[in-house]
């Protein structure tokens, strides 16, 4: 495993005010990240849950399409609250509700390594859920700089399923929404910073409801970043090991002299077992001219939960990388820890590349 050069807990929920008095902040995690001026712009997923608890009823928050917060009360005896700390399963319908809602918030780290949300110049606007596809929130932003604009994919969660939307900005103040680019269920959409053979490229993660195989990452092409085709399976389908329960792209690829470098994540929960498993990450190198071809893979994982704040939190044992920024000879990796806070760690870029074996 390549050595971490440093690890910092960058931001936690206790440092943030809720967006509504009916909510408390329980997570500030899974940050998108991009170089911005001499520092780093971060888009943080802020996770909030209702403060009030009912007698015999469980609160499930949602936003109306025009952005108003509503709290539904689910009769406790019709709810499985044990299987997953993130969701309730309604017994009578088999359907899920999230226990929380998520929105996004901009932060600026002057050195990429520290953040002080009490400083006005380090905090930017909130991006709140809106429309029919974001009822249960927007999650897990990934930012890719393309020709001077920051393009951001977000996971949109609603009764229609888990889909992925595209936004863009040049100043992290005003955002343009480009709508859904991958329909349900699909998440972990990562855009490449450069075209290949004239096409924009994205990694994505379809989540088939019929389990004919193990989870997979896919790759697609587009002429305009909005309409995607040429879909192909890229990686995954492992019935055993650290990525058997889930596998998805994590950090938007960066172009190196050995190809596109990207971190991916997965969970090792054995089939049929309750809980969410341990989330760890591997590194992958894709050919620069033909990114459908994997040219290198890390031997084992490059990141796993070791620090206290990575092992204990809202969901234990989760490291979930979501941004990577080159700083000198290092690659700074921004990640969600235990679905509760943001961490940043760094690798020597050459060492990380060396950890990828040719395949
Ligand atoms: C899923 C998503 C992420 C979350 C991880 C770990 O992949 O809900 O947002 O961080 O699980 O719980």
């Amino acid at each position: 495993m390549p050595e971490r050069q440093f690890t910092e807990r960058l931001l936690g929920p206790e440092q943030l005010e809720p967006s509504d008095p009916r909510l408390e902040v329980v997570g500030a995690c899974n940050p998108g990240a991009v170089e911005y001026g001499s520092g780093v712009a971060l888009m943080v997923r802020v996770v909030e849950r209702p403060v009030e608890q009912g007698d015999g009823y469980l609160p499930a928050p949602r936003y109306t399409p025009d952005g108003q917060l509503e709290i539904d009360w689910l009769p406790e005896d019709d709810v499985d609250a044990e299987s997953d700390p993130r969701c309730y399963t309604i017994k009578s319908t088999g359907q899920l509700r999230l226990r929380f809602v998520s929105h996004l918030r901009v932060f600026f780290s002057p050195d990429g390594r520290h953040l002080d949300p009490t400083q006005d110049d380090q905090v930017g606007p909130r991006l709140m859920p809106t429309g029919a596809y974001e009822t249960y929130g927007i999650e897990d932003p990934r930012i890719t700089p393309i020709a001077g604009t920051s393009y951001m994919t977000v996971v949109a969660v609603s009764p229609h399923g888990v889909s992925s939307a595209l936004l863009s900005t040049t100043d992290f103040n005003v955002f343009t929404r480009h709508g859904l680019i991958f329909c349900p269920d699909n998440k972990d959409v990562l855009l490449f910073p450069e075209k290949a053979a004239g096409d924009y490229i994205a990694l994505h993660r379809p989540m088939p409801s019929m389990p004919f195989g193990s989870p997979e990452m896919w790759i697609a092409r587009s002429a305009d970043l909005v309409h995607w085709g040429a879909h192909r399976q890229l990686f995954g389908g492992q019935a055993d090991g650290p990525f058997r329960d889930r596998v998805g792209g994590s950090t938007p690829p960066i172009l190196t002299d050995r190809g596109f470098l990207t971190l991916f994540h997965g969970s090792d929960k054995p089939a049929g077992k309750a809980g969410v498993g341990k989330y760890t990450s591997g590194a992958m190198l894709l050919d620069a001219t033909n990114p459908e071809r994997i040219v290198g893979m890390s031997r084992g994982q490059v990141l796993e939960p070791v620090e206290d704040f990575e092992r204990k939190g809202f969901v234990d044992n989760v490291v979930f990388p979501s941004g990577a920024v080159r700083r000198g000879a290092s690659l700074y990796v921004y990640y969600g820890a235990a679905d509760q806070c943001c961490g940043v760690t760094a690798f020597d870029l050459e060492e990380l590349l060396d950890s990828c074996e040719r395949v």
Side-chain angles (χ1 to χ4, degrees):
M1 195 177 292
E3 205 178 314
R4 297 191 193 190
Q5 294 180 318
F6 63 81
T7 298
E8 310 272 359
R9 186 180 188 271
L10 197 58
L11 182 71
E14 73 288 348
Q15 294 172 279
L16 303 180
E17 293 298 322
S19 64
D20 185 290
R22 289 169 289 171
L23 299 174
E24 61 179 339
V25 183
V26 293
C29 61
N30 302 7
V34 70
E35 190 176 1
Y36 194 73
S38 56
V40 171
L42 297 158
M43 195 68 167
V44 173
R45 171 179 165 199
V46 180
V47 187
E48 298 176 294
R49 79 176 167 209
V51 181
E52 195 187 336
Q53 297 297 316
D55 192 13
Y57 290 86
L58 296 166
R62 70 179 155 89
Y63 289 100
T64 62
D66 63 350
Q68 300 304 310
L69 176 73
E70 299 275 350
I71 295 173
D72 299 323
W73 292 94
L74 311 177
E76 211 172 319
D77 53 11
D78 190 26
V79 169
D80 165 11
E82 302 306 315
S83 305
D84 190 319
R86 299 166 296 197
C87 317
Y88 296 126
T89 307
I90 299 167
K91 293 180 193 161
S92 55
T93 61
Q95 293 178 351
L96 300 177
R97 284 297 298 264
L98 288 179
R99 300 171 190 231
F100 49 71
V101 276
S102 299
H103 68 271
L104 307 180
R105 185 137 197 208
V106 176
F107 294 88
F108 299 102
S109 168
D111 63 356
R113 194 172 160 169
H114 300 96
L115 197 58
D116 180 355
T118 64
Q119 300 295 315
D120 285 350
D121 60 352
Q122 297 189 26
V123 184
R126 296 179 196 271
L127 199 71
M128 298 304 292
T130 175
Y133 303 112
E134 301 179 0
T135 312
Y136 303 147
I138 37 179
E139 305 183 349
D140 302 354
R142 277 24 184 265
I143 307 169
T144 304
I146 303 176
T149 296
S150 290
Y151 285 90
M152 181 170 76
T153 67
V154 302
V155 177
V157 191
S158 78
H160 301 290
V162 177
S163 52
S164 287
L166 179 68
L167 297 90
S168 63
T169 185
T170 50
D171 60 5
F172 282 88
N173 188 34
V174 177
F175 290 82
T176 306
R177 286 176 171 266
H178 304 280
L180 293 186
I181 54 169
F182 285 89
C183 73
D185 276 350
N186 199 313
K187 66 197 307 196
D188 298 326
V189 176
L190 313 182
L191 304 175
F192 285 56
E194 310 277 340
K195 289 182 175 180
D199 292 323
Y200 293 108
I201 308 288
L203 301 181
H204 64 105
R205 174 184 158 203
M207 300 192 296
S209 58
M210 300 187 70
F212 286 112
S214 298
E216 295 178 338
M217 284 165 64
W218 284 51
I219 189 164
R221 288 176 173 257
S222 170
D224 60 5
L225 290 171
V226 173
H227 303 88
W228 292 90
H231 298 277
R232 286 182 46 185
Q233 188 266 4
L234 179 73
F235 175 70
Q238 298 171 344
D240 212 346
F243 310 118
R244 70 181 144 200
D245 179 54
R246 286 172 181 231
V247 67
S250 256
T251 61
I254 60 159
L255 188 57
T256 73
D257 56 5
R258 297 191 224 178
F260 286 108
L261 172 69
T262 184
L263 300 190
F264 62 96
H265 66 272
S267 138
D268 66 354
K269 182 172 82 83
K273 239 187 119 192
V276 294
K278 179 162 80 167
Y279 276 71
T280 60
S281 306
M284 185 187 289
L285 270 172
L286 302 169
D287 186 81
T289 50
N290 177 17
E292 283 84 358
R293 199 162 71 84
I294 299 175
V295 292
M297 286 292 289
S298 57
R299 295 179 279 276
Q301 289 109 301
V302 296
L303 207 60
E304 55 179 23
V306 289
E307 303 283 338
D308 281 352
F309 70 88
E310 299 165 353
R311 291 160 59 98
K312 284 268 159 254
F314 190 64
V315 180
D316 291 347
N317 287 314
V318 173
V319 284
F320 192 88
S322 37
V325 175
R326 208 189 296 227
R327 308 274 293 173
S330 299
L331 187 72
Y332 283 24
V333 174
Y334 298 86
Y335 61 99
D339 279 4
Q340 187 160 329
C341 56
C342 293
V344 55
T345 191
F347 297 105
D348 178 83
L349 183 56
E350 286 302 310
E351 198 185 316
L352 186 61
L353 292 168
D354 286 343
S355 78
C356 293
E357 264 170 13
R358 289 200 75 79
V359 290

